[in-house]
Each structure stands twice: as C-alpha cells, then as structure tokens.
Amino acid sequence: MQFMLLFSRQGKLRLQKWYVPLSDKEKKKITRELVQTVLARKPKMCSFLEWRDLKIVYKRYASLYFCCAIEDQDNELITLEIIHRYVELLDKYFGSVCELDIIFNFEKAYFILDEFLLGGEAQETSKKNVLKAIEQADLLQEDAETPRSVLEEIGLT
Amino acid sequence: MSVDDSSHFLASLRLRMPAPIRLRELIRTIRTARTQAEEREMIQKECAAIRSSFREEDNTYRCRNVAKLLYMHMLGYPAHFGQLECLKLIASQKFTDKRIGYLGAMLLLDERQDVHLLMTNCIKNDLNHSTQYVQGLALCTLGCMGSSEMCRDLAGEVEKLLKTSNSYLRKKAALCAVHVIRKVPELMEMFLPATKNLLSEKNHGVLHTSVVLLTEMCERSPDMLAHFRKLVPQLVRILKNLIMSGYSPEHDVSGISDPFLQVRILRLLRILGKSDDDSSEAMNDILAQVATNTETSKNVGNAILYETVLTIMDIKSESGLRVLAINILGRFLLNNDKNIRYVALTSLLKTVQTDHNAVQRHRSTIVDCLKDLDVSIKRRAMELSFALVNGNNIRGMMKELLYFLDSCDPEFKADCASGVFLAAEKYAPSKRWHIDTIMRVLTTAGSYVRDDSVPNLIQLITNSVEMHAYTVQRLYKALLDDISQQPLVQVASWCIGEYGDLLVSGQCEEEEPIQVTEDEVLDVLEGLLVSNLSTPVTRGYSLTAIMKLSTRFSSVNRIKKVVSIYGSSIDVELQQRAVEYNALFKKYDHMRPALLERMPIMEKSATNGPTEIVQTNGETEPSVVEPKHPPLVTQPANQANDLLVLLGGNDVPVIQTTMPTKPASAGGELLELLGDLSLSGGPAPAPAPSVPTSQPSFLLDGLSSQPLFNDIATAAIPPMTAYNKNGLKIDFTFERANPNPNIAVITIHASNSTEADMTDFVFQAAVPKTFQLQLLSPSSNVVPALNQGTVTQVIRVLNPQKQQLRMRIKLTYTLKGSPVQDLAEVNNFPPQSWQ
C-alpha cells in the first residue's frame, strides 16, 4: 500500500497515512485530486479505479470514505478486507465508532492503524491481538501520567 | 539573582500564563468557526501561543502542543516549526511524549530534510528499550518513513530484533526489514540468516509478515528465489492447515481462517512456482483444493479465489487447473458484485493471450458487460472484446461492438472506433461488409475517429475495386444527412472526387442506385467548401475532389469557375491549390486528364511506430506509450540518409524503413500524391513514398505481419544465406504475396553464434530505384548468443518491372559493449524470387 486517506463527504481530510516519501506539496496535490475523483463516483460504481499508475480501492462507511492506493501486484479484494478490518478495530475500540470519534481522537485512530499496518502491510491478522496491544499501550500512557502535586507543577519541588 | 530566586521567578511566570488549552478543546473551538476566515484566525492565534510555548522549552505541555499542531496540519495549515519539537518528544522518557513524538515525526518529517537524521540515535536507543511498546514505536516509525541513511545505520538493530522470540517485536521487525530492503537493496543479504526458521512460528502475525519479507526478497533477487524454493512444501502445509483446521475465532473472517495469510501465501507460491516445474507440481493439489473448497458467498472468499486464479495462471500448472481457473473467472463475471466482475475482467485480459480458447468460452458474458453501468467495467469489457475477436465470431462481435460504439461515452469512442477498424481489417468476411462497417463507424462516431485513419480508409476503399460504386453512393448519401463529422466528410469528398462518374451514372450493383446529377454532386462539394463546419483540411479535400471531377464530369465550366474563385481565398492552402488547378486549366490542359486519372491501387505502407507496440492484444489506446515496455529500436530519419550516402552511384534508393511518426496532414499527402503523378518529373517531394505513410495509430500494426501470412501462398522459393560474418548469420526465406505476384515477401532470420548476445540489433536495407521496399518491425532487437534464438523481420519488395533483385544491407549491433557496423551487398537472390 502506498497511502491511505480518510475523508468526509465534504472532502475534509480526517486521516492521512503515507508509506511513500513525498513532499508536502505533492501530498496535498494528490489528496486534492483523489478526493475529487472519488467523491465524483456514483454510488453504483465499483470500488476500484485506476488513477495515475496506481490502483485505488475505496469504500464508504457512513459519512467517511476510506481510500487506499495499492500497487499493481496487490489484490484489490483483500484490500477491501483490510479496510473493513480497520473499521472493525475502530468500532471495537470506540464502541460504535462514528466520524466524530475519529475527529476528536485522531491520534488514537493513528495509533490503532499503526498497530494493524506497518510500512503498508498488515502486521497482525488477529483483531484481538491488535486491540490488546493498544489497550496495553494506553495503560502505559496512563501510568506515566501520574498526578503531579501542585508544587511540582510550579517547579518548587 | 541566585538559582533559587530565578526558578522562583520562572515559576511565577508560569503561574501567570494560562496552561495551553487541551487538544479536544481546541478541536471543539475550531469546529465552531463558521467561515474559513474565522477558522484561520483561530488557528493563527493558537499557533502563536504554541510557538511561544515551544520557545520557552516547556516540557510539560510540549506533547499537548504538538498534538494540536498535528490537528491543524491535517486541516492544511503549515506546521514545520513543530518538527524539532517532535524530536524532543521522541527523546523524552515519557511514553505519552514518545507516542505523540513519533506520530509527529511520521506526519511532519520528511526524508528530504536533514532534520530527520537527528531521529536516528533516538530510534536506535528505543529499539533497545526495555518496554516492548517503545520498541514497537521505533520499529513502526523506521518501517514507515526511514530514509536510506537511517536504514543503513539501523539495519543491524532490526536484524537483531528479527531473531527475538518476542512475537510482538518479531512481526514488526520483519516488516521493518522489508522497508530497509526497499530503501537499500544491498542490505538484503544480512537478513538471510534470520529468515531460517521464520515459517516455523505459530503466531499468525509473525507468519504473515515473514511471508511478506520472503516475497520481497524473492522478487528482488533470483538467487534468493532459488534459495527459498525449498520452502514450497512448508508453505503448502501451512496453507493446508489453514483450510482444513476448524473454526478459529481469533483469525476467522466470515468462516474463513485468516484470509490475509492465505492470500499472502498464495502470492509467494506464485513467485516461487513461476518457471519452475517441480515447485509448480508441488502446489498443484493445494491450489485445486483452495479453488474448489473456498466459500464464494462473501468478498473474503472471492479475494482468496482471485489470488488463487492469478497464481494458477502464472505458474506451470497443468491444463486442467488452468481451465478451472478460467471457469472461476467466468463465474465471477456472473456475480452480482461489480467489484468481482471488474476483477474478473482484469484477470481475463491478462490471460487472453495464453489461454485464448478458454476465455473465448465466456465471450457472451464479456460482451454483456459492455452494457454495464460502471465505466471501469465497460472499458475492461471493451478491451477484452477486441482481444477475443477472430475470424469466426467477427460478424456477431462487430454487431455488439458497433452497438456499444453508438451508445458509449465519448471517452470510449476514439478507442472503440480504432479497435473496430483494426478488427475489421484483420477479419472482414467480405469487402462489402468491411465497407459497411467503416461507414457505420464514420456515421455514428465520425468525429471521434482518429485523423490518421482517413488515409487508411481511403487506401482500403481504393483497393476494393468492385465496391467503388457502392462505396461512393453510400458516402454521398451520408453527406446529404450530415456534414459535421470531419473524417467522414474527408473520406466522402475524396471518394466522390475519384468515383463521381460512377455516382452519376448509377452503376451500383450492391444496392438500388440513386439518381443524382452532376450539378447536385457539385452542389454538395461546394457546400462543404463554404460550410462553417468544415475544417481547412476538409476544404482542401473538397476542392481537390471538385478538380478531379473536371475529367469525369462534363460540367467543366462550373468547376473552372469554382476553382478560380478560390484562387483568392484567404486560406493559403486553398489558395495555392486553386492557383495550381487554375494553371492546369490554362496552361497544362493537355496534361489534366493524365494527372487527374483514377488512382492506382496503393500498397499498404510501412507499419511504423515500434515505440508504441504493446504486448497485450486488444489494448486499443495507441497514444499512450506503456512505460513498462521499453520501446523497440526506432530508426531515426537520418539513418535513411546514411543509406543514401552508402549506396551512392546510380542507385537512388526508395526506402521505406520504419520511420518515426510524422504528423502529416491529409491535405499534404494528397498534394504529394498529385505531385508524384506528375509526368514531367517536377519537384518531387523529399524522399516521400508514393503512398501515404500510415500513422502508427494501430498498435497491432507491428503484428500485422501475421495476417499477411494468411493470404500468402508459400511458393517453393529456396531460402538463402544473405550474410554470414563475425558470428552473425542472416538467412532470407521467401514467400509470394497473393494477390499481387509482383510482391516478394522476404523474412530475414538473424542468428548469432558468438558467446555473447548482440543487442541493439538493427537491420536496414536498400534496393535499386525500380523497386519499392517496405520493412516491417523486427521481432526483437537482441540476437541471443550461441544460436539460442533468431530475430526475424519481414521485408516486402515490390518489383513491378520484374528486374533482378539486388539489395544493400546495413547491420548495426552492440557486442560485448562495443558497437559493430557492417555493410554488405546481397546479389545471390534465387531467380524465382524476382521473376
């Protein structure tokens, strides 16, 4: 996978994960064009399209479009499953996920994605294991944030 | 001030400044903005606050600030001033800081900026951290955006982690290794030892990522591929277990056990089994098993079947398995899910070459897909349909394709029209059918037809002598209906100019002849001249047509009048023509009949454009040069000059070597044609052939040597060796082209007996003036060493005067890095080849 984009029906970007090195300008251009292309598709059309020299696989879940760019040798149908798995993970984590969850907790959406995919490939095929890892990491984060005393806060002790 | 005092002071400062607002708070605030301007204002204010916070080196809130910055970055605002802060977060000891820091690095840092290298040391430390989640963060970041320098520095650490027993880390290390190999392929070797027992893992995550790693290595190195072939039995076993094992809740997707792993294993098997009989045999059974047992009701099952089909088609599978695969694709075509249909069409397109007959069986389903609503499916179906057209199904297929042409979107029309022309040319069951088909295309999609098809069509019509009357009648009727489609108008004008006499004499046999007078015909042609719809090129065609009719019609005065009017046309092209025609009337009237007489049958000119030859049949998009297929060698025009030089003497060669595309305007070609017929041998156009050069719009032109052989009777002309020097041997074999016995078709066979391949091989030939020569595209430009194969190329020689055939040839190639060039004369042609 070269990149994954999540965007709303109004074309607002909610998540962008790039697995190829591109300049900020290039990323913006690609995003703009691709979002336009996908949003122009009619609902009855198939989930795959050719764009530049890439294959684009996209699927809409409620108000969010999940859009992946894969290479020629990659299997489009399994990519749909990858997208679906990611949505399931988000759903389990947030409990009936909706777009607002991803807006307000975007960093968590990234963390979950990074436990599922690495370098564009799936690193873990068990839903349970991905969620367990996130859970543990979240706990680590909480432990680290032990309450500081007021004096500590103002640097007096 | 003492140290205590200063920290007091700073602390009090901090008390006075409010804590930076929380991330969620910011998000909420920004979302309340009603206009873009309002949002921008909020963002700017917050950015300013964040900037001053960064300046103060505030450790407490750095994490929060960077997170906010990342949010604003996603909205599209600049965030580069946060890059260094990300690095500081990564260096922090707090897990939260690291989490956000690494995320920020992946989003904001860019391998083109040196700043990213500062991460390397932190990542190195974190790869050895005591907490696996920190190690995980480091591996993830490295595997996602590590630059080549970073990969070089850290490959050793990754390799170490690849051997750990901690499966959480091992799986991440495997994918990180994949990234390292992609960035720095030379490092691949160092990961080899660690791969030894990767596949013995039970953990699916490790298995999956290991298969990905092995795939990457095999794809990049033939040595690795050979080395890993021994894993085939193990892979087969793992796949078998996945299929046979009972329900495993952890990896189950709609009743299928770990489809992701299954697909990856199938893909690796594909690579390992390709071109290897033993491996292919070892996987035959499991492939058959997967193909027959996988549940097809959901997408996930079909995903596995899809991968299986791809694998079956690519390895050396037995024919039964291949038929099974094609049938799966056939079933896919009938699936309600359009994604499945799309995937089926794509795969069939890939296999249509090798398993043509099997794909033919699904032809009707494919043709039905032409009516699909989805654009991508329609395009695929169109390409595939063209690939499936053959002599047997041409009538039926063409009916469907013409119907498609009528109703399809404009974006398809050009390609479809080209495809129809090509197919018609190759498989037309009769001349009448051919002309009817062309007419249909011109009338329904006339404006989308490529400009260069006009000369091709004209040539086709010329050569169908018995159909002239019918053709001109139909074209005339079409013009009466509609003069907006330029290619149609151009062809029609040309035909009326040529065969106008047949039109008014009502000689048509094929259908009811129409009654039309000379004046009516001239009305139509003059109408074209004045119409706003006509392009300058079209006007040129009609003026010339009117002129030609001066020798075929009796109303010469009217024609003279028209011609003289255009002598003062603003359009320079028209003016020139009119002036010249006027001159014909006035000073050269005695030459006019001869000049304007009926065109002779034109030979099909050199099919050029080797740069646009693409391997797959049926991809009718000639203007797109496939980047994946390196262009075959084109012979630039100046090489024609070289031959001119080398032949010298009395022989002025009329060469038709493969020339690069030149966008000749149709009007220009006609002028050339007229010029060439000039008996006074006046200014002949620069070494232009006396036939219009067909433009390389049809991809399959290069392959048209195939249909040529359909109607060539293999006459018993003995073959000969034309050249044999320095290990390069060139044999000529002969055939006579029916129906024209004046054309000898020579196939050269170049073979190479030296130890090294001859690359960039180019064969050129020149013949004496009275001959005409056409050189078609060669099969390849590499002559393999040690006679392992030959390069073939077809030469057609027109020898109307039946003179003794002589030829000068020039050979260029590269052998062991140095270029070689040689010239030779070929005189030992067997008498049968030219008598």
Side-chain angles (χ1 to χ4, degrees):
Chain A
M1 195 185 296
Q2 291 208 358
F3 58 85
M4 181 191 283
L5 302 173
L6 267 67
F7 51 90
S8 72
R9 293 212 285 162
Q10 286 76 38
K12 289 222 151 148
L13 197 60
R14 298 300 179 207
L15 187 144
Q16 49 174 333
K17 189 74 188 181
W18 299 84
Y19 295 110
V20 286
L22 290 167
S23 72
D24 226 20
K25 201 164 127 204
E26 285 167 317
K27 288 184 196 170
K28 279 209 165 95
K29 181 158 183 265
I30 291 175
T31 307
R32 196 179 37 236
E33 282 178 27
L34 195 51
V35 167
Q36 235 174 2
T37 309
V38 171
L39 288 176
R41 303 270 291 180
K42 303 194 196 71
K44 288 286 180 190
M45 290 179 143
C46 75
S47 295
F48 313 131
L49 61 110
E50 290 108 43
W51 185 80
R52 302 204 184 171
D53 59 343
L54 292 170
K55 300 201 278 196
I56 305 293
V57 180
Y58 73 94
K59 190 142 187 222
R60 197 180 122 211
Y61 288 86
S63 57
L64 264 184
Y65 282 88
F66 288 70
C67 184
C68 299
I70 58 174
E71 280 148 349
D72 216 39
Q73 330 85 289
D74 294 329
N75 181 326
E76 295 97 320
L77 298 179
I78 208 75
T79 308
L80 279 175
E81 293 299 320
I82 298 248
I83 292 176
H84 191 74
R85 173 58 65 89
Y86 181 45
V87 174
E88 283 180 325
L89 289 168
L90 291 170
D91 195 57
K92 206 59 195 284
Y93 182 81
F94 288 109
S96 274
V97 68
C98 63
E99 192 184 343
L100 275 179
D101 291 319
I102 300 185
I103 294 171
F104 278 93
N105 301 288
F106 71 94
E107 84 279 13
K108 303 236 171 66
Y110 275 109
F111 295 153
I112 295 172
L113 186 60
D114 286 339
E115 280 300 327
F116 175 41
L117 303 177
L118 201 158
E121 306 281 351
Q123 62 181 279
E124 180 57 69
T125 57
S126 151
K127 233 188 310 188
K128 186 177 90 180
N129 287 349
V130 175
L131 291 168
K132 199 162 60 166
I134 292 287
E135 216 177 303
Q136 301 281 44
D138 282 350
L139 279 174
L140 249 187
Q141 195 169 315
E142 272 177 41
D143 289 342
E145 285 170 351
T146 46
R148 291 146 61 106
S149 70
V150 177
L151 292 176
E152 274 180 2
E153 280 278 320
I154 59 174
L156 285 181
T157 50
Chain B
M1 254 196 206
S2 71
V3 175
D4 280 334
D5 285 340
S6 61
S7 63
H8 244 282
F9 179 67
L10 283 169
S12 57
L13 267 178
R14 217 175 285 147
L15 264 173
R16 255 175 255 156
M17 292 219 324
I21 70 170
R22 295 180 179 276
L23 170 64
R24 324 254 176 257
E25 180 91 33
L26 177 70
I27 298 177
R28 206 170 299 128
T29 312
I30 292 179
R31 283 171 65 80
T32 60
R34 276 162 297 162
T35 63
Q36 183 77 350
E38 217 180 312
E39 183 185 276
R40 210 175 315 138
E41 211 183 298
M42 291 177 182
I43 302 257
Q44 275 173 357
K45 200 167 131 214
E46 185 58 35
C47 276
I50 292 177
R51 273 188 146 111
S52 37
S53 184
F54 284 162
R55 250 172 302 174
E56 283 173 25
E57 300 285 343
D58 182 337
N59 292 334
T60 327
Y61 297 112
R62 184 177 286 123
C63 178
R64 183 185 290 185
N65 285 328
V66 168
K68 288 186 288 188
L69 201 55
L70 293 179
Y71 177 72
M72 295 188 286
H73 177 253
M74 183 142 68
L75 292 179
Y77 296 92
H80 42 270
F81 58 92
Q83 285 169 0
L84 277 173
E85 302 302 314
C86 292
L87 295 173
K88 291 182 197 161
L89 282 175
I90 292 173
S92 156
Q93 287 312 306
K94 283 166 57 174
F95 183 65
T96 317
D97 283 355
K98 283 189 191 282
R99 246 186 161 182
I100 296 289
Y102 276 117
L103 178 61
M106 286 193 271
L107 288 174
L108 299 181
L109 286 176
D110 174 358
E111 67 171 38
R112 288 153 221 243
Q113 299 153 341
D114 287 336
V115 154
H116 83 280
L117 288 170
L118 296 171
M119 262 200 293
T120 316
N121 220 30
C122 283
I123 294 189
K124 189 171 193 167
N125 292 336
D126 283 342
L127 283 174
N128 293 306
H129 204 274
S130 49
T131 312
Q132 68 173 13
Y133 296 104
V134 174
Q135 290 173 293
L137 286 176
L139 280 169
C140 179
T141 307
L142 183 60
C144 173
M145 48 89 67
S147 64
S148 326
E149 298 93 331
M150 284 168 70
C151 287
R152 254 185 254 272
D153 286 339
L154 299 168
E157 304 297 325
V158 177
E159 198 259 344
K160 237 175 20 189
L161 288 171
L162 193 51
K163 298 194 279 216
T164 177
S165 54
N166 180 337
S167 50
Y168 176 78
L169 291 174
R170 209 170 183 203
K171 71 189 187 198
K172 290 183 193 271
L175 289 181
C176 202
V178 171
H179 180 83
V180 168
I181 291 173
R182 285 186 185 152
K183 285 304 221 188
V184 192
E186 308 87 75
L187 290 174
M188 185 163 36
E189 291 284 326
M190 77 183 278
F191 294 106
L192 187 54
T195 62
K196 212 181 265 209
N197 47 10
L198 275 177
L199 290 184
S200 355
E201 268 270 3
K202 286 281 176 267
N203 179 296
H204 280 225
V206 177
L207 270 177
H208 185 271
T209 58
S210 304
V211 173
V212 175
L213 177 58
L214 292 170
T215 307
E216 186 72 27
M217 292 168 105
C218 289
E219 277 174 341
R220 283 182 181 270
S221 155
D223 291 332
M224 290 288 183
L225 179 58
H227 172 81
F228 285 125
R229 277 225 174 87
K230 61 179 192 271
L231 294 176
V232 171
Q234 205 174 355
L235 289 166
V236 170
R237 226 176 312 130
I238 297 173
L239 191 52
K240 195 164 190 165
N241 283 337
L242 283 174
I243 306 172
M244 305 298 270
S245 69
Y247 175 73
S248 145
E250 195 172 337
H251 298 110
D252 180 88
V253 179
S254 303
I256 295 182
S257 194
D258 208 336
F260 303 107
L261 183 56
Q262 288 195 36
V263 165
R264 271 340 277 243
I265 293 180
L266 286 163
R267 184 161 151 185
L268 181 55
L269 286 175
R270 175 155 80 244
I271 296 168
L272 293 174
K274 196 170 182 154
S275 339
D276 187 86
D277 289 320
D278 291 330
S279 305
S280 299
E281 209 191 304
M283 43 179 103
N284 255 317
D285 283 342
I286 191 68
L287 289 174
Q289 210 177 348
V290 177
T292 42
N293 288 345
T294 308
E295 183 68 44
T296 60
S297 54
K298 292 256 175 77
N299 179 63
V300 64
N302 289 321
I304 296 177
L305 280 178
Y306 176 38
E307 197 74 33
T308 312
V309 165
L310 289 176
T311 301
I312 292 175
M313 301 315 292
D314 239 13
I315 64 170
K316 300 197 159 223
S317 46
E318 35 180 64
S319 64
L321 202 52
R322 295 182 89 85
V323 172
L324 178 59
I326 304 252
N327 287 343
I328 291 176
L329 291 179
R331 273 204 315 270
F332 273 7
L333 279 180
L334 300 167
N335 197 306
N336 284 330
D337 185 342
K338 60 188 91 60
N339 291 336
I340 310 280
R341 293 206 296 277
Y342 175 87
V343 143
L345 287 170
T346 315
S347 316
L348 284 170
L349 198 53
K350 283 192 214 149
T351 64
V352 72
Q353 299 283 65
T354 46
D355 295 82
H356 192 93
N357 292 330
V359 180
Q360 279 282 4
R361 258 176 253 139
H362 302 279
R363 197 179 63 243
S364 52
T365 326
I366 293 169
V367 167
D368 279 340
C369 289
L370 285 172
K371 307 192 185 88
D372 204 294
L373 293 164
D374 185 301
V375 160
S376 314
I377 291 184
K378 274 206 274 233
R379 177 167 284 282
R380 287 273 180 272
M382 182 182 84
E383 290 170 357
L384 202 45
S385 300
F386 279 122
L388 290 176
V389 169
N390 63 25
N392 292 328
N393 58 35
I394 178 79
R395 281 187 197 268
M397 287 295 277
M398 203 47 85
K399 211 157 69 175
E400 294 287 344
L401 287 164
L402 286 173
Y403 181 73
F404 175 68
L405 184 61
D406 279 344
S407 51
C408 69
D409 298 327
E411 61 185 283
F412 288 116
K413 292 215 192 230
D415 292 332
C416 189
S418 302
V420 168
F421 284 148
L422 244 141
E425 207 172 302
K426 279 166 71 165
Y427 302 113
S430 75
K431 288 247 158 79
R432 158 99 191 245
W433 181 95
H434 197 167
I435 302 226
D436 281 343
T437 307
I438 292 172
M439 289 289 310
R440 175 87 182 269
V441 175
L442 286 179
T443 46
T444 55
S447 20
Y448 299 97
V449 158
R450 291 192 219 278
D451 288 337
D452 43 86
S453 52
V454 170
N456 280 339
L457 294 175
I458 289 177
Q459 185 219 358
L460 182 67
I461 291 169
T462 328
N463 290 351
S464 328
V465 178
E466 65 280 12
M467 303 297 301
H468 286 167
Y470 171 71
T471 312
V472 70
Q473 180 161 299
R474 286 213 56 192
L475 284 169
Y476 179 77
K477 284 199 273 190
L479 269 190
L480 292 177
D481 278 332
D482 170 23
I483 59 167
S484 63
Q485 307 198 77
Q486 299 307 294
L488 171 64
V489 174
Q490 287 167 12
V491 174
S493 312
W494 191 94
C495 283
I496 294 175
E498 272 298 297
Y499 312 120
D501 47 326
L502 298 176
L503 185 58
V504 295
S505 64
Q507 278 179 27
C508 185
E509 288 172 358
E510 300 279 341
E511 62 173 24
E512 187 69 31
I514 58 175
Q515 311 285 17
V516 60
T517 65
E518 292 184 3
D519 276 324
E520 283 170 334
V521 174
L522 287 172
D523 283 342
V524 170
L525 287 176
E526 284 184 47
L528 295 176
L529 274 175
V530 301
S531 165
N532 285 337
L533 297 166
S534 301
T535 63
V537 169
T538 307
R539 290 207 180 92
Y541 269 96
S542 28
L543 188 60
T544 306
I546 292 177
M547 185 59 193
K548 285 196 220 168
L549 289 174
S550 70
T551 52
R552 294 157 174 75
F553 281 3
S554 53
S555 31
V556 181
N557 286 329
R558 176 172 176 182
I559 294 175
K560 268 196 206 169
K561 219 163 47 167
V562 174
V563 166
S564 61
I565 291 173
Y566 280 88
S568 39
S569 161
I570 303 176
D571 182 337
V572 174
E573 174 79 27
L574 277 183
Q575 193 192 98
Q576 180 179 357
R577 286 180 195 225
V579 164
E580 288 176 6
Y581 297 156
N582 250 332
L584 264 184
F585 274 125
K586 297 207 166 64
K587 286 200 274 179
Y588 300 102
D589 207 39
H590 55 283
M591 291 176 59
R592 192 166 42 90
L595 270 175
L596 300 176
E597 72 178 6
R598 194 76 98 224
M599 288 290 189
I601 295 179
M602 299 181 225
E603 293 308 324
K604 182 122 176 84
S605 56
T607 50
N608 29 12
T611 46
E612 292 174 319
I613 291 180
V614 169
Q615 312 297 350
T616 49
N617 221 327
E619 290 224 16
T620 51
E621 287 166 357
S623 48
V624 175
V625 177
E626 270 266 66
K628 295 177 211 145
H629 301 276
L632 300 180
V633 173
T634 37
Q635 299 170 348
N638 56 25
Q639 290 197 3
N641 293 335
D642 287 348
L643 276 178
L644 272 171
V645 164
L646 72 86
L647 281 172
N650 301 331
D651 296 340
V652 174
V654 178
I655 303 158
Q656 283 235 37
T657 51
T658 51
M659 290 196 279
T661 60
K662 60 174 196 341
S665 73
E669 283 169 339
L670 277 186
L671 268 182
E672 286 173 19
L673 282 170
L674 226 41
D676 259 326
L677 289 175
S678 160
L679 297 174
S680 56
S690 58
V691 297
T693 330
S694 82
Q695 294 309 306
S697 62
F698 305 138
L699 285 183
L700 298 180
D701 273 358
L703 300 175
S704 69
S705 49
Q706 298 292 342
L708 280 180
F709 290 134
N710 287 345
D711 48 9
I712 291 171
T714 34
I717 308 172
M720 58 174 267
T721 301
Y723 174 94
N724 193 351
K725 220 161 102 179
N726 297 331
L728 177 62
K729 178 154 159 293
I730 300 197
D731 292 326
F732 284 2
T733 56
F734 300 90
E735 268 129 356
R736 278 234 176 270
N738 280 338
N740 191 337
N742 290 333
I743 298 181
V745 180
I746 306 173
T747 306
I748 70 148
H749 305 264
S751 56
N752 167 12
S753 60
T754 69
E755 290 166 354
D757 290 354
M758 291 173 178
T759 55
D760 303 315
F761 176 75
V762 171
F763 174 88
Q764 290 164 270
V767 287
K769 191 174 175 185
T770 49
F771 297 79
Q772 278 184 42
L773 179 148
Q774 298 165 17
L775 199 54
L776 304 183
S777 304
S779 60
S780 150
N781 62 349
V782 175
V783 192
L786 299 170
N787 294 322
Q788 281 173 26
T790 58
V791 166
T792 57
Q793 195 163 1
V794 173
I795 312 172
R796 299 182 73 197
V797 181
L798 176 66
N799 182 4
Q801 297 181 19
K802 295 224 186 273
Q803 293 194 341
Q804 180 183 18
L805 182 55
R806 286 156 47 218
M807 195 186 277
R808 281 210 196 150
I809 62 177
K810 178 176 173 188
L811 307 156
T812 50
Y813 56 90
T814 306
L815 182 63
K816 292 185 194 163
S818 32
V820 180
Q821 191 175 295
D822 199 2
L823 307 162
E825 210 168 276
V826 185
N827 288 323
N828 52 333
F829 286 91
Q832 303 96 309
S833 65
W834 46 268
Q835 271 170 351

